[in-house]
Amino acid sequence: MECYAQYFARPLANVAVDLELYAQLLHKWQAVQNLVSRETLNEVWTRHFADSLQVLTLLKPTDQAFLDLGSGGGLPALPLAIALKGTPAFFTLIEPNSRKVSFLRTVARELGLLVTVEGARSDQIDSRETPVPDVITSRALASLPQLCTWIKPFFGPQTRAILHKGREHVEELAETATHFDYDVLIQASDIDTSGVLLTLTNLRAKSVS
């Protein structure tokens, strides 16, 4: 986590305190709701928090509005919100599972984060009623073609989608290109040797001939 400290909006010690509280809540709620895989619960700092925080390296100083799809246990959005706490950055989390919604709202409230949680699927939300995001995030939710279908309504001219993907990203990009035009930057993951972060811009559906 220390390697990302230069991107934090406040001292590392303060961020670490909030992340520890978040970890404690994850362990507490995991007993009644599967928030992360059981196999990785004891590796939450490396497998989940550090994996989320590497998104910070791709952010711009002007990024303020964040939209996270399929938030689940809050990754990567909540670690990012913790790291950027005290700045104008605000996060909208979309999660249809009511128990996970309760968990996300509990973390946001107890840690004093600028986070709003929408208890619905992305296709149930009117994109005209949400702020145009600077950054869209998603981790371990769906294949890239499906993700692009879900995030396209929220895209503005300057929106970037920063997405965690695995070793299948090459095939997924090729499949996505049959339905969408886009520009993409591929960055190797610092945490997962087979993973990448995909930054998509200028996402637009191909016209049907």
Side-chain angles (χ1 to χ4, degrees), residues 111-126:
L111 273 62
L113 304 176
L114 281 178
V115 167
T116 298
V117 183
E118 297 286 352
R121 300 193 313 267
S122 61
D123 59 4
Q124 296 174 316
I125 296 175
D126 189 342

Side-chain angles (χ1 to χ4, degrees), residues 6 18 57 59 70 83 103 107-109 112 123 138 151 166 208:
Q6 62 180 305
D18 279 354
T57 67
L59 299 185
F103 168 75
V107 176
R109 181 180 65 254
D123 59 4
S138 186
I151 66 179
V208 179

Side-chain angles (χ1 to χ4, degrees), residues 31-154:
V32 295
Q33 178 63 52
N34 188 35
L35 299 169
V36 298
S37 65
R38 294 177 182 177
E39 295 79 10
T40 64
L41 185 60
N42 291 327
E43 303 173 272
V44 67
W45 287 84
T46 53
R47 290 288 295 275
H48 296 301
F49 291 174
D51 192 35
S52 299
L53 291 171
Q54 65 179 319
V55 172
L56 292 169
T57 67
L58 296 172
L59 299 185
K60 300 177 180 178
T62 54
D63 292 332
Q64 291 189 9
F66 292 78
L67 178 69
D68 186 70
L69 268 65
S71 299
L75 306 159
L78 290 182
L80 294 174
I82 289 169
L84 298 176
K85 184 176 176 181
T87 74
F90 62 95
F91 293 74
T92 301
L93 278 55
I94 298 178
E95 171 55 52
N97 183 292
S98 60
R99 288 187 178 180
K100 292 179 180 178
V101 167
S102 296
F103 168 75
L104 295 170
R105 288 175 175 164
T106 297
V107 176
R109 181 180 65 254
E110 294 199 10
L111 273 62
L113 304 176
L114 281 178
V115 167
T116 298
V117 183
E118 297 286 352
R121 300 193 313 267
S122 61
D123 59 4
Q124 296 174 316
I125 296 175
D126 189 342
S127 59
R128 296 170 297 181
E129 297 180 356
T130 61
V132 176
D134 298 305
V135 176
I136 298 174
T137 57
S138 186
R139 180 176 181 263
L141 177 60
S143 68
L144 187 61
Q146 181 61 74
L147 272 178
C148 287
T149 299
W150 288 337
I151 66 179
K152 175 62 181 69
F154 300 97

Side-chain angles (χ1 to χ4, degrees), residues 160-188:
R160 306 182 330 279
I162 303 177
L163 309 172
H164 287 75
K165 299 302 296 182
R167 60 170 56 91
E168 303 85 2
H169 70 276
V170 174
E171 293 81 2
E172 291 189 20
L173 282 167
E175 183 181 352
T176 303
T178 66
H179 304 286
F180 295 92
D181 290 316
Y182 57 84
D183 298 316
V184 61
L185 172 68
I186 304 174
Q187 175 172 302

